[in-house]
Amino acid sequence: MTKLNEYVKIAEAAKILGVSQNTLRAWAESGKIRMHRNPANGYRLFRRTDLGRFLAKVAKPAKE
């Protein structure tokens, strides 16, 4: 079972990725990055591992 401390709210996730919260919301809604919703309050939650994978993916040089 996944622990709650493996997730961060949108403000911390945006800080980790170095983007604004609005940019992160748009990426999540378009499916560029995986997002979860807290069933109790509807907050957007992001797994730390998903953020790490996303950063690794965008850091790779483009194939020529």
Side-chain angles (χ1 to χ4, degrees), residues 11-62:
E12 187 174 349
K15 187 174 180 180
I16 290 168
L17 296 178
V19 298
S20 73
Q21 292 180 35
N22 286 336
T23 296
L24 185 52
R25 284 184 191 102
W27 288 352
E29 294 301 321
S30 69
K32 289 184 180 181
I33 190 164
R34 192 169 180 192
M35 174 192 72
H36 305 271
R37 289 271 186 184
N38 183 327
N41 56 21
Y43 288 175
R44 291 172 178 87
L45 299 173
F46 299 86
R47 286 183 63 191
R48 293 177 189 273
T49 54
D50 291 338
L51 296 174
R53 278 192 215 115
F54 183 81
L55 283 173
K57 181 178 154 185
V58 298
K60 288 183 182 177

